[in-house]
């Protein structure tokens, strides 16, 4: 599997750091181009490579670490998203209610990216917490996942384990995804799972 992060702000940088820590190659892109990412790449080392948006979107798994309002513009970058796993890290914080019209933000993202398998994940933690070593006090930081696609969910769950997290699947987008939608009850909770003794 190949991995890419779209977005180089706090959330994208946090994810890049986790890939680098786990020694898993990942590409990162933004709308400003690879030259704008050189400092970030130097910070994280050889596991993180700067790419054009087009190059990054060729990955099997794409992390959307961009503002929710940018997704519609990004969607036009590919005519068909079939076969890709999209990890939706966006949060519709501050988006007027009339924009969502009662829909969850991830349901809107899924509608904008036809054919993609959407997994809501890595979005409930503040970026500063997401950037920390997932191992804490003998346990592992929890990340929640929601998806309508079992295979995609299992793939991202496996990746989360490789990255050092403790992933918990909370159900379909219209069920578990509601728990991860601002102001859902799982958002902004920094939970650590310890082995049962």
């Amino acid at each position: 599997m190949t991995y890419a992060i779209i977005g180089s702000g706090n959330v994208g940088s946090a994810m890049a750091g986790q890939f680098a820590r786990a020694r898993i190659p990942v590409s990162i892109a933004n709308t400003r181009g690879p030259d704008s990412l050189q400092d970030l790449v130097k910070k994280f080392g050889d596991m993180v490579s700067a790419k054009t948006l087009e190059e990054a979107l060729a990955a099997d798994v794409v992390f959307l670490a961009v503002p929710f309002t940018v997704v519609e513009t990004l969607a036009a970058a590919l005519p068909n998203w079939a076969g890709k796993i999209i990890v939706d890290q966006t949060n519709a914080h501050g988006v007027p209610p009339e924009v969502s019209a009662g829909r969850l933000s991830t349901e809107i993202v899924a509608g904008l990216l036809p054919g993609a398998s959407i997994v809501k994940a890595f979005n409930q933690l503040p970026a500063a917490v997401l950037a920390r070593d997932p191992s804490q006090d003998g346990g592992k930081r929890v990340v929640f996942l929601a998806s309508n696609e079992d295979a995609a969910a299992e793939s991202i769950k496996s990746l989360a384990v490789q990255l050092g997290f403790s992933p918990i699947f909370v159900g379909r987008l219209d069920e578990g995804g509601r728990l991860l939608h601002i102001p859902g009850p799982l958002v902004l909770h920094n939970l650590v799972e310890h082995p049962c003794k």
Side-chain angles (χ1 to χ4, degrees), residues 99-187:
V99 172
S100 59
R103 296 174 295 168
L104 299 176
S105 61
T106 303
E107 292 175 326
I108 296 173
V109 170
L112 292 169
L113 308 177
S117 296
I118 308 293
V119 180
K120 186 72 169 177
F122 296 97
N123 77 299
Q124 100 271 5
L125 295 169
V129 177
L130 182 62
R132 296 178 195 162
D133 188 330
S135 298
Q136 181 177 321
D137 302 326
K140 295 182 178 180
R141 184 163 289 108
V142 170
V143 289
F144 297 103
L145 300 85
S147 181
N148 296 346
E149 307 284 343
D150 291 343
E154 282 301 316
S155 180
I156 301 307
K157 188 175 179 180
S158 176
L159 173 63
V161 170
Q162 293 177 62
L163 292 173
F165 291 91
S166 179
I168 297 176
F169 181 68
V170 293
R172 293 175 51 83
L173 295 177
D174 59 353
E175 299 168 345
R178 194 170 298 280
L179 305 176
L180 300 173
H181 176 84
I182 285 179
L186 298 181
V187 176

Side-chain angles (χ1 to χ4, degrees), residues 25-49:
V26 67
S27 59
I28 188 165
N30 61 23
T31 56
R32 299 184 302 278
D35 289 346
S36 69
L37 297 166
Q38 293 311 307
D39 288 345
L40 187 147
V41 169
K42 288 176 185 176
K43 175 182 177 181
F44 292 124
D46 60 346
M47 288 294 105
V48 180
S49 57

Side-chain angles (χ1 to χ4, degrees), residues 80-104:
N80 188 345
W81 293 78
K84 295 194 178 299
I85 296 175
I86 303 298
V87 180
D88 179 20
Q89 293 186 269
T90 68
N91 286 310
H93 180 68
V95 175
E98 57 269 22
V99 172
S100 59
R103 296 174 295 168
L104 299 176

